Amino acid sequence: MGKENGNFKLVANNKKARHDYFLEQTYECGVSLHGTEVKSLRMGKCSIKESFVHIENGEVILYGMHISPYEKGNIFNRDPLRPKKLLMHKQEIRKLQGQIKEKGYTLVPVQVYFKGSLVKVQIALAKGKKLYDKRQDIAKKDQRREAERDFKVRNL
């Protein structure tokens, strides 16, 4: 994804997506934005916690992504919660549409970041977790944390 380059800057991360879904496959998309929205993103004022993705009329639309209005943007500011069009190839969109209809998957935004000067959104093809899956994940994290704590204590 380009984390090793100096041109990657994370703006927003959706931890809830990893908690609530099994992320099968990730895709990188561009976003159709206006100037003041990009300026606000550069300042890190973005939230994708409650956002979701739908495919409508062959277009991928991101709903619920909150970009705070730019302070110096006055009349040029747009609605912070307006739906944003994600830019993907038609072939990819058709493939995703087929998987969503057929297998019961959903699309979830995972990250918003700058790749060079471009704003990118990472979306994932995901399947919902059941309550017992979430409990298993929490138990694994607790075990890993305990093991790391014991390792630190022994090495001091």
Side-chain angles (χ1 to χ4, degrees), residues 9-12 36-48 65-71 80 112 114:
K9 181 189 172 204
L10 185 66
V11 178
T36 54
E37 291 176 322
V38 177
K39 289 179 180 182
S40 188
L41 281 173
R42 286 200 189 283
M43 296 169 66
K45 297 186 175 180
C46 173
S47 173
I48 57 172
M65 176 179 169
H66 186 276
I67 299 176
S68 299
Y70 184 60
E71 297 111 35
V112 178
F114 279 96

Side-chain angles (χ1 to χ4, degrees), residues 12-14 17-18 23 26 48 108-112 121-124:
N13 197 3
N14 191 356
R18 285 187 172 82
L23 304 182
T26 58
I48 57 172
V108 181
V110 181
Q111 288 182 334
V112 178
V121 174
Q122 184 182 45
I123 62 173

Side-chain angles (χ1 to χ4, degrees), residues 13-149:
N13 197 3
N14 191 356
K15 292 179 183 176
K16 191 176 176 186
R18 285 187 172 82
H19 180 71
D20 291 342
Y21 298 97
F22 292 114
L23 304 182
E24 302 282 323
Q25 191 173 2
T26 58
Y27 297 90
E28 182 180 78
C29 314
V31 192
S32 180
L33 295 172
H34 294 280
T36 54
E37 291 176 322
V38 177
K39 289 179 180 182
S40 188
L41 281 173
R42 286 200 189 283
M43 296 169 66
K45 297 186 175 180
C46 173
S47 173
I48 57 172
K49 282 181 184 168
E50 300 299 321
S51 59
F52 56 95
V53 179
H54 275 290
I55 299 177
E56 299 169 2
N57 303 328
E59 293 182 341
V60 183
I61 311 288
L62 176 63
Y63 292 96
M65 176 179 169
H66 186 276
I67 299 176
S68 299
Y70 184 60
E71 297 111 35
K72 299 175 183 119
N74 57 37
I75 63 167
F76 299 107
N77 280 331
R78 300 290 173 132
D79 177 27
L81 285 171
R82 77 175 180 84
K84 288 136 188 94
K85 181 179 173 185
L86 297 181
L87 309 172
M88 293 180 79
H89 293 286
K90 277 185 184 176
Q91 186 179 357
E92 282 182 312
I93 295 171
R94 284 193 206 112
K95 182 179 160 190
L96 284 173
Q97 227 170 358
Q99 288 178 323
I100 289 170
K101 283 181 184 173
E102 193 177 304
K103 300 177 184 171
Y105 285 107
T106 186
L107 288 174
V108 181
V110 181
Q111 288 182 334
V112 178
Y113 54 92
F114 279 96
K115 191 173 183 182
S117 63
L118 304 174
V119 179
K120 299 288 183 180
V121 174
Q122 184 182 45
I123 62 173
L125 192 65
K127 204 166 225 168
K129 283 185 182 178
K130 304 283 187 236
L131 184 61
Y132 57 84
D133 292 327
K134 293 178 189 178
R135 286 183 185 146
Q136 285 175 347
D137 283 354
I138 291 170
K140 284 179 188 175
K141 282 181 189 175
D142 288 344
Q143 286 175 345
R144 193 188 77 235
R145 222 177 276 128
E146 281 292 325
E148 286 175 2
R149 198 176 296 134

